[in-house]
mmCIF file of all heavy atoms in Angstrom:
data_model
loop_
_atom_site.group_PDB
_atom_site.id
_atom_site.type_symbol
_atom_site.label_atom_id
_atom_site.label_comp_id
_atom_site.label_asym_id
_atom_site.label_seq_id
_atom_site.Cartn_x
_atom_site.Cartn_y
_atom_site.Cartn_z
ATOM 1 N N ASP H 406 63.011 150.058 148.894
ATOM 2 C CA ASP H 406 62.782 151.228 148.189
ATOM 3 C C ASP H 406 63.557 150.931 146.843
ATOM 4 O O ASP H 406 64.833 150.954 146.800
ATOM 5 C CB ASP H 406 63.453 152.407 148.957
ATOM 6 C CG ASP H 406 63.425 153.626 148.170
ATOM 7 O OD1 ASP H 406 63.187 153.622 146.914
ATOM 8 O OD2 ASP H 406 63.603 154.771 148.806
ATOM 9 N N PHE H 407 62.836 150.766 145.791
ATOM 10 C CA PHE H 407 63.537 150.264 144.554
ATOM 11 C C PHE H 407 64.492 151.345 144.016
ATOM 12 O O PHE H 407 65.565 150.960 143.561
ATOM 13 C CB PHE H 407 62.437 149.967 143.409
ATOM 14 C CG PHE H 407 63.051 149.475 142.244
ATOM 15 C CD1 PHE H 407 63.438 148.190 142.022
ATOM 16 C CD2 PHE H 407 63.296 150.440 141.190
ATOM 17 C CE1 PHE H 407 63.949 147.737 140.789
ATOM 18 C CE2 PHE H 407 63.883 150.021 139.914
ATOM 19 C CZ PHE H 407 64.185 148.623 139.758
ATOM 20 N N ASP H 408 64.084 152.569 144.099
ATOM 21 C CA ASP H 408 65.056 153.594 143.703
ATOM 22 C C ASP H 408 66.300 153.714 144.494
ATOM 23 O O ASP H 408 67.299 153.956 143.870
ATOM 24 C CB ASP H 408 64.250 154.949 143.804
ATOM 25 C CG ASP H 408 63.159 155.156 142.874
ATOM 26 O OD1 ASP H 408 63.122 154.497 141.788
ATOM 27 O OD2 ASP H 408 62.183 155.917 143.138
ATOM 28 N N ALA H 409 66.282 153.434 145.733
ATOM 29 C CA ALA H 409 67.368 153.424 146.559
ATOM 30 C C ALA H 409 68.369 152.214 146.195
ATOM 31 O O ALA H 409 69.473 152.375 146.121
ATOM 32 C CB ALA H 409 66.978 153.338 148.076
ATOM 33 N N VAL H 410 67.761 151.144 145.896
ATOM 34 C CA VAL H 410 68.444 149.934 145.518
ATOM 35 C C VAL H 410 69.184 150.141 144.156
ATOM 36 O O VAL H 410 70.378 149.955 144.007
ATOM 37 C CB VAL H 410 67.621 148.726 145.412
ATOM 38 C CG1 VAL H 410 68.447 147.530 144.778
ATOM 39 C CG2 VAL H 410 67.173 148.240 146.750
ATOM 40 N N ALA H 411 68.374 150.786 143.209
ATOM 41 C CA ALA H 411 68.890 151.191 141.952
ATOM 42 C C ALA H 411 70.091 152.233 142.051
ATOM 43 O O ALA H 411 71.103 152.042 141.332
ATOM 44 C CB ALA H 411 67.902 151.776 141.023
ATOM 45 N N ARG H 412 69.861 153.114 143.007
ATOM 46 C CA ARG H 412 71.082 153.983 143.170
ATOM 47 C C ARG H 412 72.264 153.347 143.653
ATOM 48 O O ARG H 412 73.436 153.640 143.280
ATOM 49 C CB ARG H 412 70.644 155.120 144.168
ATOM 50 C CG ARG H 412 69.848 156.187 143.660
ATOM 51 C CD ARG H 412 69.763 157.463 144.502
ATOM 52 N NE ARG H 412 69.232 157.216 145.931
ATOM 53 C CZ ARG H 412 67.896 157.179 146.128
ATOM 54 N NH1 ARG H 412 67.082 157.414 145.148
ATOM 55 N NH2 ARG H 412 67.558 156.889 147.249
ATOM 56 N N ALA H 413 72.140 152.448 144.640
ATOM 57 C CA ALA H 413 73.316 151.663 145.233
ATOM 58 C C ALA H 413 73.989 150.759 144.113
ATOM 59 O O ALA H 413 75.214 150.794 144.039
ATOM 60 C CB ALA H 413 72.775 150.698 146.282
ATOM 61 N N ILE H 414 73.158 150.283 143.114
ATOM 62 C CA ILE H 414 73.691 149.422 142.056
ATOM 63 C C ILE H 414 74.499 150.325 141.175
ATOM 64 O O ILE H 414 75.569 149.949 140.722
ATOM 65 C CB ILE H 414 72.529 148.759 141.329
ATOM 66 C CG1 ILE H 414 71.949 147.705 142.223
ATOM 67 C CG2 ILE H 414 72.992 148.269 139.949
ATOM 68 C CD1 ILE H 414 70.684 147.026 141.710
ATOM 69 N N HIS H 415 74.011 151.498 140.781
ATOM 70 C CA HIS H 415 74.741 152.386 140.025
ATOM 71 C C HIS H 415 75.934 153.022 140.723
ATOM 72 O O HIS H 415 76.952 153.102 139.979
ATOM 73 C CB HIS H 415 73.766 153.601 139.486
ATOM 74 C CG HIS H 415 72.826 153.184 138.395
ATOM 75 N ND1 HIS H 415 73.184 153.104 137.073
ATOM 76 C CD2 HIS H 415 71.472 152.762 138.518
ATOM 77 C CE1 HIS H 415 72.112 152.690 136.449
ATOM 78 N NE2 HIS H 415 71.046 152.434 137.306
ATOM 79 N N GLU H 416 75.839 153.404 141.940
ATOM 80 C CA GLU H 416 77.077 153.888 142.604
ATOM 81 C C GLU H 416 78.170 152.928 142.812
ATOM 82 O O GLU H 416 79.306 153.473 142.803
ATOM 83 C CB GLU H 416 76.512 154.564 144.008
ATOM 84 C CG GLU H 416 75.625 155.756 143.824
ATOM 85 C CD GLU H 416 74.961 156.118 145.159
ATOM 86 O OE1 GLU H 416 75.137 155.420 146.162
ATOM 87 O OE2 GLU H 416 74.242 157.102 145.160
ATOM 88 N N THR H 417 77.918 151.798 142.840
ATOM 89 C CA THR H 417 78.900 150.719 143.153
ATOM 90 C C THR H 417 79.511 150.231 141.795
ATOM 91 O O THR H 417 80.394 149.399 141.805
ATOM 92 C CB THR H 417 78.413 149.581 143.908
ATOM 93 O OG1 THR H 417 77.254 149.027 143.284
ATOM 94 C CG2 THR H 417 78.109 150.104 145.369
ATOM 95 N N GLY H 418 78.978 150.613 140.598
ATOM 96 C CA GLY H 418 79.399 150.127 139.365
ATOM 97 C C GLY H 418 79.062 148.593 139.163
ATOM 98 O O GLY H 418 79.631 147.973 138.397
ATOM 99 N N ALA H 419 77.956 148.149 139.825
ATOM 100 C CA ALA H 419 77.488 146.817 139.712
ATOM 101 C C ALA H 419 77.009 146.477 138.318
ATOM 102 O O ALA H 419 77.239 145.318 137.889
ATOM 103 C CB ALA H 419 76.343 146.504 140.697
ATOM 104 N N LEU H 420 76.430 147.445 137.675
ATOM 105 C CA LEU H 420 75.933 147.214 136.410
ATOM 106 C C LEU H 420 77.103 146.961 135.361
ATOM 107 O O LEU H 420 77.084 146.159 134.408
ATOM 108 C CB LEU H 420 74.984 148.284 135.828
ATOM 109 C CG LEU H 420 73.541 148.284 136.560
ATOM 110 C CD1 LEU H 420 72.793 149.349 135.901
ATOM 111 C CD2 LEU H 420 72.836 146.946 136.431
ATOM 112 N N GLU H 421 78.063 147.923 135.503
ATOM 113 C CA GLU H 421 79.270 147.782 134.714
ATOM 114 C C GLU H 421 79.978 146.465 134.895
ATOM 115 O O GLU H 421 80.428 145.892 133.919
ATOM 116 C CB GLU H 421 80.328 148.946 134.998
ATOM 117 C CG GLU H 421 79.762 150.309 134.586
ATOM 118 C CD GLU H 421 78.720 150.891 135.413
ATOM 119 O OE1 GLU H 421 78.449 150.332 136.544
ATOM 120 O OE2 GLU H 421 78.215 152.064 135.129
ATOM 121 N N HIS H 422 79.967 145.985 136.226
ATOM 122 C CA HIS H 422 80.695 144.693 136.473
ATOM 123 C C HIS H 422 79.843 143.540 135.695
ATOM 124 O O HIS H 422 80.506 142.664 135.104
ATOM 125 C CB HIS H 422 80.702 144.436 137.928
ATOM 126 C CG HIS H 422 81.171 143.026 138.361
ATOM 127 N ND1 HIS H 422 82.449 142.637 138.260
ATOM 128 C CD2 HIS H 422 80.383 141.990 138.765
ATOM 129 C CE1 HIS H 422 82.581 141.344 138.587
ATOM 130 N NE2 HIS H 422 81.403 140.985 138.973
#
Side-chain angles (χ1 to χ4, degrees):
D406 180 344
F407 182 81
D408 290 336
V410 172
R412 280 196 302 273
I414 287 170
H415 284 280
E416 289 168 2
T417 56
L420 292 184
E421 288 80 4
H422 173 72

